[in-house]
Amino acid sequence: MTEQQAAILVIDDELGIREGCRRALSTQNWFVDVASNGAEGVQKLRERPFDVVLLDIMMPGIGGMEVMDLIKEIDPETVIIIITGYATVDLAIRAIKQGAYDFLSKPFDSETLALAVRQGLEKRRLSLETKRLCQIEEAARRLEEEKAQLQKLDQLKSQFTLLVAHELRAPVAAIQSFLKLILEGYVPPERHMEIIAKAERRAQDQLALINDLLELARIKDRERQSERAWVDVAKVLRETMELMTPQAEQKQITLAVEIQPDVPPVHANYKHICQLWNNLISNAIKYTPQGGHVSISLRQAGEVIQGVVQDTGIGIAPEDMDKIFQDFYRTKAAKEFERMGTGLGLSIVKAILDNYGGTIQVQSEVGKGSTFTFTLPFAVPIQPPAAD
Ligand code: ADP
């Protein structure tokens, strides 16, 4: 703001004061406008910014104090100089306590007026500068925060890459050593098939890991998240049950399912909902010994739908509870009980639920079984309201 560009508004009901101020201030190369009452003054302030307002505190219509509040509302940095008669000095002091910058007692000469306005303009310049510096400081602080977040993300990404490379190396290294055993003649021909079968199993592990990694990456891919439709979660559950039945029968595990009627659909990617049920139910079957029981339920609970998968399996130790959702984490007990597993199934479940604002909780007791409870929010009623 330069002084030439400064704009001053005089709000006074006395024509003499208004015009006197206009004359005196115009010689300073300032833009000067006048208003004969509070309402007109406020209107002018709404139309364009003014740096300094000379305000008569005693005017008919809206009271000076009220006008002051309105001016501050429009632009808190406007400098207000009160014009006061001898009898209203007390009022002017009150106005200063309320945020006015200075006061001029009538009558005043043009030098006094110009000096007060010049000081007011300097005050405004300093306040605006301070405000600008605060904003710059705030922006710098935000940038610093964002930078720290990005660095953290970058670090997490590197850790994940290392972890992936490590997990992918293990099966390849195993396959290579099996093949070397044969190639270098350490294994008699009658054992070749056995060693090749072992290598093939490790290749299967590798493929499962790569598939899960791809799935996880797809779920976290923001662009694909737009592929959503209304999904009937109960129907997907029934389909998953059909798929899982042979696996359960093989281990003589009984499956029970309870679905509340009219569970509302969720707006989601169909494949994600399949994956959600599939991973939780296949884990329940996988980690439950022969002859056990797995029960699944689905219901609406207020603003969410709630799915529960309960088993009578090996359970999870309290110290492992927080870790089972981490990428690649498999408990020692799980590895001993079932060789196959990538440690990514629950990471996928968690990523899917995170996508849709869902939650998941686990309750478990070692040797007794586990209960996984998830929720998914739904946004609209099951059926549109009937037309009257
Ligand atoms: P994976 O089953 O391939 O090992 P997940 O990510 O699906 O990987 O599960 C991570 C770990 O959580 C499992 O290795 C196991 O230790 C534990 N877990 C998951 N579901 C169950 C369950 N129903 N019963 C017992 N442990 C489970």
Side-chain angles (χ1 to χ4, degrees):
M1 182 189 74
T2 60
E3 283 206 6
Q4 279 83 353
Q5 294 166 322
I8 292 119
L9 178 65
V10 185
I11 309 176
D12 199 305
D13 59 329
E14 268 182 62
L15 179 69
I17 296 277
R18 282 199 309 273
E19 289 314 316
C21 287
R22 193 207 287 272
R23 230 175 301 117
L25 297 175
S26 298
T27 62
Q28 306 285 329
N29 262 343
W30 292 326
F31 169 78
V32 184
D33 202 354
V34 293
S36 59
N37 57 56
E40 190 192 339
V42 169
Q43 182 58 34
K44 293 204 159 170
L45 278 153
R46 290 214 164 96
E47 282 160 13
R48 60 153 295 162
F50 284 92
D51 302 293
V52 173
V53 175
L54 292 155
L55 174 67
D56 182 1
I57 202 99
M58 290 288 276
M59 275 182 308
I62 322 177
M65 291 297 194
E66 209 181 317
V67 176
M68 245 181 73
D69 286 346
L70 289 169
I71 295 174
K72 290 281 174 197
E73 229 178 81
I74 297 168
D75 176 1
E77 250 54 66
T78 306
V79 171
I80 302 170
I81 298 173
I82 299 298
I83 301 175
T84 170
Y86 175 72
T88 55
V89 170
D90 281 353
L91 204 57
I93 291 169
R94 246 180 60 206
I96 284 188
K97 283 190 184 150
Q98 219 175 291
Y101 169 64
D102 197 359
F103 74 89
L104 287 168
S105 310
K106 286 186 231 178
F108 45 82
D109 56 38
S110 47
E111 280 80 41
T112 314
L113 172 67
L115 181 67
V117 170
R118 194 165 292 120
Q119 284 171 345
L121 287 171
E122 182 61 10
K123 148 91 167 80
R124 175 157 160 100
R125 191 185 66 76
L126 288 174
S127 324
L128 288 176
E129 188 69 6
T130 310
K131 201 170 160 185
R132 204 174 62 85
L133 285 176
C134 285
Q135 281 167 349
I136 292 173
E137 260 174 38
E138 175 61 20
R141 199 186 52 72
R142 268 205 312 272
L143 275 176
E144 204 52 49
E145 262 177 31
E146 277 167 26
K147 191 177 146 202
Q149 263 175 5
L150 282 176
Q151 276 170 344
K152 177 107 190 81
L153 271 178
D154 201 40
Q155 198 188 351
L156 282 175
K157 227 169 98 182
S158 307
Q159 279 172 2
F160 184 73
T161 310
L162 273 177
L163 211 59
V164 170
H166 177 81
E167 292 291 325
L168 289 178
R169 195 172 62 173
V172 178
I175 294 167
Q176 191 194 31
S177 59
F178 286 136
L179 295 178
K180 256 185 163 174
L181 284 178
I182 296 176
L183 285 172
E184 292 174 9
Y186 291 109
V187 184
E190 63 273 19
R191 285 196 60 211
H192 281 185
M193 287 310 275
E194 175 201 334
I195 301 296
I196 292 172
K198 277 187 184 168
E200 201 270 338
R201 271 211 300 278
R202 298 310 296 262
Q204 258 181 40
D205 291 351
Q206 176 91 334
L207 208 57
L209 195 63
I210 292 170
N211 285 339
D212 274 0
L213 274 171
L214 280 174
E215 198 53 49
L216 194 62
R218 275 191 212 113
I219 291 162
K220 290 187 177 174
D221 181 353
R222 301 251 147 225
E223 281 180 20
R224 281 172 184 258
Q225 287 177 17
S226 53
E227 294 165 20
R228 295 186 184 192
W230 292 108
V231 182
D232 181 346
V233 187
K235 187 166 160 264
V236 179
L237 171 57
R238 281 187 213 100
E239 288 163 2
T240 313
M241 294 300 288
E242 257 179 60
L243 275 175
M244 296 284 157
T245 304
Q247 242 168 282
E249 277 173 355
Q250 240 179 24
K251 291 175 79 179
Q252 282 127 33
I253 290 173
T254 50
L255 289 181
V257 64
E258 196 187 319
I259 303 175
Q260 193 186 56
D262 298 331
V263 172
V266 293
H267 200 235
N269 184 317
Y270 173 79
K271 282 194 200 146
H272 291 173
I273 304 301
C274 296
Q275 191 100 39
L276 179 65
W277 281 125
N278 190 79
N279 288 11
L280 291 176
I281 300 172
S282 66
N283 272 356
I285 298 173
K286 189 160 78 174
Y287 296 115
T288 297
Q290 293 273 125
H293 184 70
V294 172
S295 58
I296 302 113
S297 69
L298 175 66
R299 66 187 190 97
Q300 178 182 341
E303 298 294 298
V304 293
I305 59 161
Q306 184 190 64
V308 181
V309 180
Q310 189 170 26
D311 63 56
T312 57
I314 59 170
I316 302 154
E319 64 270 21
D320 281 325
M321 286 293 205
D322 288 343
K323 300 186 193 141
I324 56 171
F325 292 95
Q326 289 172 10
D327 300 333
F328 306 112
Y329 189 80
R330 302 194 70 206
T331 65
K332 196 163 166 280
K335 281 193 242 173
E336 280 164 10
F337 187 77
E338 168 64 55
R339 197 190 66 82
M340 293 288 282
T342 61
L344 286 175
L346 289 182
S347 302
I348 291 174
V349 165
K350 180 81 175 51
I352 291 172
L353 291 169
D354 283 351
N355 264 355
Y356 304 113
T359 63
I360 184 149
Q361 278 181 347
V362 196
Q363 281 171 319
S364 187
E365 205 177 321
V366 173
K368 291 244 165 94
S370 311
T371 306
F372 286 78
T373 306
F374 73 83
T375 65
L376 272 174
F378 57 88
V380 293
I382 317 159
Q383 271 142 9
D388 336 84

